[in-house]
Amino acid sequence: MQLPSLREVASMAGRAIERFPLAIIAAYSLTILAIIANHRMDSQEVLMPYIFTLLFAFPLSVATDLFMESHKAKAPGRFFGRFLVVLASVGVYFLCFKNWVDWSDSKYLEVILIDVALWVLILFAPFMMKNRVNAFWQFNVALFVRMVQAVLLFGLFYWGLLALMASVEYLFDYGLLMQYSWDVWLVVSGIFVSLFFLSGVPGNFQALDKTTNYPKL
């Protein structure tokens, strides 16, 4: 496996934005807000509700787009589905995340479990009301392989950047690691990993149902 070239990154970005526009907006917005919160501690109380909302919106939007795609929904149907995601995110913000400073430990656990459930929903969304057991298996194997590739490729990329920053810090006695290591992780995971992962989500569910190969990875 090799790190993707700039042309491949541009192609991945195009595919991901076309299929999952709300998820890309959520991932990029989340990255920006998290970087701001990292450098401005006084703004965390204001920004955290938005960060929680975007963490909720990302998997929900992916699952919704996959559901619509598997049912071959036309443009109006997809627009309506995305509108419902936005509406649900706004509702959750006001009903739950806006008052996050008053949460108990059990409330934090509840929010984590809800977010995990939304990620699990991605695995099932294309196959709701469809009896495609083999396609379901192949789809989840493809997602697992894509995630492993993302962790390996961009994990290597991230540690390479840290090594470069450490070298600059050693040569010029400038605290890059302390100031920007978390920012680098946010950019790599929030922008590059999300693009790479979403661009590799299978879309031909009928073909998946006929696939019998087992990935070597």
Side-chain angles (χ1 to χ4, degrees):
M1 292 186 296
Q2 297 179 350
L3 284 173
S5 65
L6 291 177
R7 180 177 296 180
E8 290 172 333
V9 170
S11 177
M12 286 190 301
R15 291 197 303 270
I17 292 171
E18 182 181 1
R19 292 182 66 193
F20 308 105
L22 275 185
I24 294 297
I25 293 172
Y28 283 21
S29 301
L30 175 61
T31 302
I32 293 170
L33 293 181
I35 290 174
I36 295 173
N38 182 40
H39 290 279
R40 296 184 57 183
M41 302 297 290
D42 58 328
S43 66
Q44 288 187 359
E45 185 173 337
V46 176
L47 294 179
M48 285 307 294
Y50 298 104
I51 292 174
F52 285 133
T53 303
L54 292 169
L55 285 171
F56 171 88
F58 181 86
L60 181 62
S61 63
V62 174
T64 301
D65 282 330
L66 287 173
F67 178 81
M68 294 293 179
E69 194 175 76
S70 68
H71 287 76
K72 299 180 180 179
K74 302 298 181 182
R78 296 193 181 194
F79 176 82
F80 180 71
R82 289 163 184 164
F83 173 75
L84 291 180
V85 171
V86 173
L87 198 63
S89 301
V90 172
V92 168
Y93 167 80
F94 283 105
L95 295 175
C96 181
F97 298 139
K98 189 176 181 180
N99 302 317
W100 74 279
V101 292
D102 300 325
W103 286 358
S104 61
D105 291 342
S106 61
K107 187 64 176 181
Y108 278 102
L109 179 61
E110 179 184 332
V111 170
I112 291 172
L113 291 176
I114 290 173
D115 203 52
V116 170
L118 290 175
W119 279 96
V120 174
L121 182 62
I122 294 174
L123 309 180
F124 292 89
F127 308 101
M128 291 180 178
M129 299 179 291
K130 290 180 178 290
N131 186 22
R132 292 178 178 170
V133 177
N134 185 59
F136 171 75
W137 160 252
Q138 294 293 340
F139 178 79
N140 284 276
V141 168
L143 290 187
F144 176 75
V145 170
R146 193 68 173 181
M147 182 56 68
V148 170
Q149 290 175 333
V151 170
L152 292 177
L153 289 174
F154 292 100
L156 179 64
F157 181 47
Y158 170 67
W159 286 107
L161 289 175
L162 287 189
L164 179 62
M165 292 167 63
S167 300
V168 173
E169 184 175 293
Y170 177 76
L171 290 173
F172 300 101
D173 194 24
Y174 185 74
L176 284 176
L177 282 179
M178 290 295 293
Q179 292 187 50
Y180 301 110
S181 58
W182 178 241
D183 294 346
V184 172
W185 186 86
L186 288 170
V187 171
V188 170
S189 59
I191 294 179
F192 293 105
V193 172
S194 62
L195 274 179
F196 182 81
F197 177 74
L198 291 177
S199 65
V201 175
N204 192 337
F205 304 107
Q206 292 182 343
L208 284 175
D209 207 27
K210 300 176 183 178
T211 302
T212 57
N213 65 310
Y214 195 89
K216 292 182 180 180
L217 179 61

